[in-house]
Amino acid sequence: LGLHDEKGISLQGVEECKGADSIFLELYTNMLPGFSAKRFEKLLGKKVQFISRNDLEEEDGVVVLSAAEKGKTVFLVPGDPLIATTHVTLRIAAKKRGIETRVVHGASIISAVIGLSGLQNYKFGKTVTIPFPENFSETPYNVIKQNKLLGLHTLCLLDLTVDRERFLTINEALTLLSKTERRRKEKIVTPTAIVLGVARAGSKNPTVKAACIKELLKLDFGGPPQSLIFPGELHFMEAEALVALAGAPEALRRATDEY
Amino acid sequence: LGLHDEKGISLQGVEECKGADSIFLELYTNMLPGFSAKRFEKLLGKKVQFISRNDLEEEDGVVVLSAAEKGKTVFLVPGDPLIATTHVTLRIAAKKRGIETRVVHGASIISAVIGLSGLQNYKFGKTVTIPFPENFSETPYNVIKQNKLLGLHTLCLLDLTVDRERFLTINEALTLLSKTERRRKEKIVTPTAIVLGVARAGSKNPTVKAACIKELLKLDFGGPPQSLIFPGELHFMEAEALVALAGAPEALRRATDEY
């Protein structure tokens, strides 16, 4: 389904739906804030059946697999398929039942956020998800640190609940990471470190803002999804992009000129 | 434009084209093997103007920027926009001229190959491009090694010429890496190491095959684009995916069971 709303799907995706006997849809592995099932069904001229997390993870996707044994079946997911483990599990189950599968790709939040940042894709290290405070973990801090020591940028996805009613904000994520910083004092997530916040990637009005953490903490990034990037070493073209496209302080450009 | 052909574009992308005063297109930063400009123009009901590398990099995209000063202008690119540095440069130039820009995302070869592999996205380290033999470099070997030491997978994109007439094959890439291995003997790219080759991601007939290097060297992956993944530590679900979906040897599953 790609990003944001029912127009994120590719023409190939629409074509597959039109030729399908059954169409299923899950919207819990990622967020499509502008998606309307009604508009989407109108666009296809077909009915779409919702699949819950329970259908997929407790019932092993049996409703989708049974339909696929009877006719051409499309299973629609947010973003780019198979980035969520549960989709890989379903594909393996299909294979074991002798069902042929094919993937139609879509825009992914990962390349969208990296693209909007203006930073170079090949300079990103491992990606990490920052969990809600009740599932607090120091793993995100460790990943940011490991990448930074290698000069690499870190993309941090922020957690959301299965019903997508609650999402971790950039503000909350920075607060959690700062808590770890105050305890460990390794100078990874300091108040003056420049970070990049991206909200609503894939929509018509994304917010993309680079500033030091103490400044970002004053901002409200608005609606979801929200993500964070911790830059590693910046090429001067990357610093230029952060200043021109994400409003980073001019000093950042001078800092990389010297570097 | 997303992947493979003129149907890789999203509905949002088509809508933007239909409302545009000028439409430009570049096809040199990545490969769309099935793309037909004629079919695409028919689909839009509009003419599209081709932009060469020279237009963009020597002439600083002035033809696109001038059009954008006069009316709504769409600039179409393969994959997901802004993953190529030259697109970021153009966006900065637009900003400096006071031209408002907006990004419509598309499927990227990066998330497509990762999705098809069945491996978990958050376990990938830095991505690297393997250059043609005439631009030989040990950087790809070093990146694979660094990621492997951290237990992470490495996505290797394979070089292609600007005219897209020539592309580095999986076979050639493995031969180049093996050459470095024979010299350095660090046991990173050994003949028995399991790697994953992916060809034509985004098309209806991708080839996805995991095997040890000496076996993969016997295979012809067919048409471009081609990519390689060097797995790091495998979760048992990842090994399961490589066996079920990429024909990896059964022994791989047993190896991770023990691990």
Side-chain angles (χ1 to χ4, degrees):
Chain A
L1 289 171
L3 300 172
H4 188 63
D5 66 14
E6 63 279 359
K7 293 181 191 161
I9 193 170
S10 69
L11 296 181
Q12 185 67 42
V14 172
E15 189 173 299
E16 302 289 351
C17 289
K18 289 193 171 165
D21 299 305
S22 311
I23 308 176
F24 298 95
L25 171 69
E26 69 86 353
L27 289 176
Y28 77 86
T29 57
N30 227 312
M31 201 171 247
L32 292 180
F35 188 88
S36 149
K38 207 171 154 186
R39 283 197 305 261
F40 186 60
E41 288 184 333
K42 199 173 157 197
L43 182 158
L44 293 181
K46 280 194 163 181
K47 283 279 167 202
V48 169
Q49 197 177 327
F50 269 82
I51 290 293
S52 68
R53 178 175 179 170
N54 187 68
D55 291 333
L56 215 53
E57 299 185 11
E58 304 303 320
E59 309 287 339
D60 301 323
V62 70
V63 54
V64 180
L65 295 170
S66 300
E69 281 175 335
K70 295 190 195 83
K72 176 168 171 176
T73 300
V74 168
F75 182 43
L76 297 159
V77 306
D80 196 17
L82 304 176
I83 294 301
T85 313
T86 186
H87 304 152
V88 178
T89 308
L90 185 68
R91 201 172 180 211
I92 294 172
K95 175 86 180 188
K96 288 185 175 165
R97 288 195 186 205
I99 300 164
E100 201 192 316
T101 57
R102 197 151 50 74
V103 183
V104 178
H105 296 280
S108 162
I109 186 78
I110 292 167
S111 65
V113 170
I114 292 176
L116 288 173
S117 76
L119 300 177
Q120 288 164 17
N121 176 67
Y122 72 90
K123 288 181 64 190
F124 278 77
K126 190 174 153 74
T127 296
V128 72
T129 296
I130 304 184
F132 286 113
E134 58 269 33
N135 303 317
F136 180 78
S137 154
E138 293 201 349
T139 299
Y141 186 94
N142 294 334
V143 171
I144 294 164
K145 178 184 168 188
Q146 184 185 78
N147 285 335
K148 208 180 182 86
L149 292 176
L150 298 168
L152 302 175
H153 314 319
T154 308
L155 170 60
C156 303
L157 303 173
L158 308 188
D159 216 357
L160 71 164
T161 53
V162 172
D163 60 8
R164 305 173 316 285
E165 301 245 317
R166 187 178 154 215
F167 61 95
L168 192 74
T169 64
I170 288 171
N171 195 300
E172 291 169 314
L174 288 174
T175 305
L176 289 169
L177 290 166
S178 302
K179 203 173 84 177
T180 305
E181 177 64 47
R182 278 196 300 277
R183 197 179 67 74
R184 291 176 43 175
K185 298 186 179 61
E186 298 184 46
K187 293 197 165 47
I188 304 298
V189 188
T190 59
T192 57
I194 297 280
V195 297
L196 181 76
V198 178
R200 296 174 305 289
S203 77
K204 287 192 175 183
N205 61 342
T207 298
V208 180
K209 177 68 186 164
C212 64
I213 291 178
K214 66 180 178 196
E215 291 300 320
L216 274 198
L217 279 170
K218 295 177 193 161
L219 299 180
D220 178 358
F221 278 83
Q226 300 191 357
S227 320
L228 269 173
I229 293 176
F230 282 80
E233 279 167 27
L234 290 169
H235 184 268
F236 76 92
M237 269 300 300
E238 294 183 304
E240 177 74 24
L242 290 183
V243 173
L245 304 174
E250 289 282 336
L252 191 66
R253 185 155 40 198
R254 288 194 298 275
T256 51
D257 277 350
E258 287 158 25
Y259 168 80
Chain B
L1 288 171
L3 300 172
H4 189 63
D5 65 14
E6 63 279 359
K7 292 181 193 163
I9 193 170
S10 68
L11 296 181
Q12 185 67 42
V14 172
E15 189 173 299
E16 301 290 351
C17 289
K18 289 193 170 165
D21 299 306
S22 311
I23 308 176
F24 298 95
L25 171 69
E26 69 85 354
L27 289 177
Y28 78 86
T29 56
N30 228 311
M31 200 170 249
L32 292 180
F35 188 87
S36 150
K38 209 171 152 184
R39 282 197 304 262
F40 186 60
E41 288 184 334
K42 200 174 156 195
L43 182 157
L44 292 182
K46 281 194 162 181
K47 283 279 167 204
V48 168
Q49 197 177 326
F50 269 83
I51 290 293
S52 68
R53 179 176 178 170
N54 188 67
D55 291 333
L56 214 55
E57 298 186 11
E58 304 304 318
E59 309 286 339
D60 301 323
V62 69
V63 55
V64 180
L65 295 169
S66 300
E69 281 175 335
K70 296 190 195 85
K72 176 169 171 176
T73 300
V74 169
F75 181 43
L76 297 159
V77 307
D80 196 17
L82 303 176
I83 293 303
T85 313
T86 186
H87 304 153
V88 178
T89 308
L90 185 68
R91 200 171 180 212
I92 294 172
K95 175 87 179 186
K96 287 185 175 165
R97 288 195 186 204
I99 300 164
E100 200 193 317
T101 57
R102 196 151 51 75
V103 183
V104 178
H105 295 280
S108 162
I109 186 77
I110 292 166
S111 65
V113 170
I114 292 175
L116 288 173
S117 76
L119 300 177
Q120 288 164 17
N121 177 67
Y122 72 90
K123 288 182 62 190
F124 278 77
K126 191 173 152 74
T127 296
V128 72
T129 296
I130 303 185
F132 286 114
E134 58 270 31
N135 303 319
F136 180 79
S137 154
E138 293 201 349
T139 299
Y141 185 95
N142 294 334
V143 171
I144 295 164
K145 178 184 167 187
Q146 184 184 79
N147 285 334
K148 210 181 179 84
L149 292 176
L150 298 167
L152 302 175
H153 314 318
T154 308
L155 170 61
C156 302
L157 302 173
L158 308 188
D159 216 356
L160 72 164
T161 53
V162 172
D163 60 8
R164 305 172 318 283
E165 301 244 318
R166 188 178 153 214
F167 61 96
L168 191 74
T169 64
I170 288 170
N171 194 300
E172 290 169 314
L174 288 174
T175 304
L176 289 169
L177 289 166
S178 301
K179 204 172 85 176
T180 305
E181 178 62 47
R182 279 196 300 277
R183 196 178 69 70
R184 291 175 44 174
K185 297 187 179 61
E186 298 183 46
K187 294 198 164 48
I188 303 298
V189 188
T190 59
T192 56
I194 297 280
V195 297
L196 181 76
V198 178
R200 296 175 304 290
S203 77
K204 286 193 176 183
N205 60 342
T207 298
V208 180
K209 177 69 187 163
C212 64
I213 292 178
K214 66 180 179 196
E215 292 300 320
L216 273 198
L217 279 170
K218 294 177 192 163
L219 299 180
D220 179 358
F221 277 83
Q226 299 191 357
S227 320
L228 269 173
I229 292 175
F230 282 80
E233 279 167 26
L234 290 170
H235 183 268
F236 76 93
M237 267 300 300
E238 294 183 304
E240 177 74 23
L242 290 183
V243 173
L245 304 175
E250 289 281 337
L252 190 67
R253 186 156 37 198
R254 286 193 299 274
T256 50
D257 276 352
E258 287 156 26
Y259 167 80

